[in-house]
Amino acid sequence: MLTILALASIVLLGIVPQQSEAIVIYTGWERHALVGSDIRLSCSFFSWRWTSEDVTFSWSYRPDGARDSISIFHYTGGAPYVDNKGPFRDRLEFVGNPARRDGSILLKNLDYGDNGTFTCDAKNPPDIVGRASSVRLLVFEKVPIQAGVITGAIIGAVLGLLVLIVVIYYLMRFLVARRVFNLSVSKHGRKGKGKEGSQQRQLWRPPPVTLLPLTS
Amino acid sequence: MLVLLAGIFLLHLASIILLLVATIDNAWWVTDTMSTDVWARWILNNGIWNHTDLPTGSTYPSDYLQAVQASAILACIFSILGLFVFVGQLFTLAKGQRFTFSGIFQLLACLCIMIAASIYTNIFHNDESSGQYGHCFILAWISFAFTFISSIIYFVLRKKTRD
């Protein structure tokens, strides 16, 4: 009975995902880079199927303001094919790991003409229905600081400093009060109550009630 | 005594309200068709006000702008915290002692809003042909005066017996 149940569940699991089969591709949304630097454009996908041997990745590039996109990278049949005629010849390198569903590429020595949209399309047969994902590349001379970073940093630093000062103030007060108390107790301890005095030196214990009227 | 206390409390409250209005409302610099503050800009186009971002570039250095934003927010925070500290000190302070903590918070708020307003006055809108400072800018300077007076009062005031 149990074996029949197990077999039925395996069969059902094999049949049901047919409807939810769609590959989901993840790239970044926007990437900022400095002129002359290198950038790694990451692309990975999620698929209900195991990664097949015929998995393919392809990257295409559309410059800012242009209408058409050109293909700059293709990985198929276990081998990567990089651009050797287009704008990225000798500047493109495949740094992904298709077995781990990673189809990232490395662009070297960026220039202002590389501003544009890069689209990654991955296919994991038989899981081929999916939407390609695009990442926008912006090349700057100097990387701009995002809005609000300095504001947040200043506010956080000042408030943190304030909290630190308050904590240190109360810590100093506590330590000074404790030292004063220990000194006054040791004076009383030497007069006659030797046992109590020696006990007080070992740990901080709450003061015994008899000492309170003497200190006020 | 109670009247004095109510007056001081109202002064502190007024300074908080002025600080909040100066930070939040949008009128640090106004012209006939444009109203701007440290966060964004409103432009009048064919009778409709449109909300736009502040311009970037050399006339609007973004690090100074963010310093003004941070200082204005810090002034509000310190003033509001100072109000709670004042109410707390009213009940916990021993007789004859001064309200130093509340005074310190108000002084910090005064310092922060002074930093914010001074940077704004010095750096922005230096060579604009038309326009003038709006009401929020003026309120920022007035709240500087209020917080300063308030902190002086806290430093001088002593807690007496309730009568």
Side-chain angles (χ1 to χ4, degrees), chain A residues 171-184 204:
Chain A
L171 200 69
M172 295 308 296
R173 245 175 59 163
F174 172 71
L175 286 176
V176 166
R178 182 174 147 185
R179 195 155 164 269
V180 164
F181 182 79
N182 267 342
L183 279 175
S184 69
W204 172 253

Side-chain angles (χ1 to χ4, degrees), chain A residues 148-151 154-155 158 162, chain B residues 63 66-67 69-70 73-74 78 105:
Chain A
V149 165
I150 300 181
T151 311
I154 295 176
I155 294 179
V158 172
L162 188 74
Chain B
D63 29 13
Q66 297 192 13
Q69 289 174 347
I73 292 180
L74 276 175
F78 281 135
F105 272 95

Side-chain angles (χ1 to χ4, degrees), chain A residues 50-96:
Chain A
W50 298 113
T51 312
S52 91
E53 287 159 2
D54 302 325
V55 65
T56 62
F57 287 96
S58 61
W59 281 92
S60 58
Y61 167 66
R62 183 169 60 85
D64 266 346
R67 259 181 37 185
D68 302 323
S69 59
I70 62 170
S71 193
I72 57 170
F73 174 78
H74 194 66
Y75 176 93
T76 185
Y81 299 91
V82 299
D83 178 14
N84 51 6
K85 292 190 182 56
F88 294 102
R89 61 175 164 276
D90 304 328
R91 291 201 289 148
L92 195 65
E93 195 185 314
F94 180 58
V95 292

Side-chain angles (χ1 to χ4, degrees), chain B residues 6-57:
Chain B
I8 293 170
F9 188 79
L10 281 177
L11 179 67
H12 197 144
L13 205 61
S15 66
I16 291 180
I17 292 175
L18 289 182
L19 278 170
L20 285 175
V21 168
T23 311
I24 297 175
D25 196 6
N26 190 311
W28 282 59
W29 176 266
V30 288
T31 64
D32 291 332
T33 56
M34 182 257 288
S35 167
T36 188
D37 73 343
V38 289
W39 306 104
R41 179 172 283 203
W42 287 91
I43 297 187
L44 185 64
N45 256 339
N46 307 324
I48 303 176
W49 285 99
N50 289 322
H51 186 260
T52 56
D53 286 330
L54 290 169
T56 52

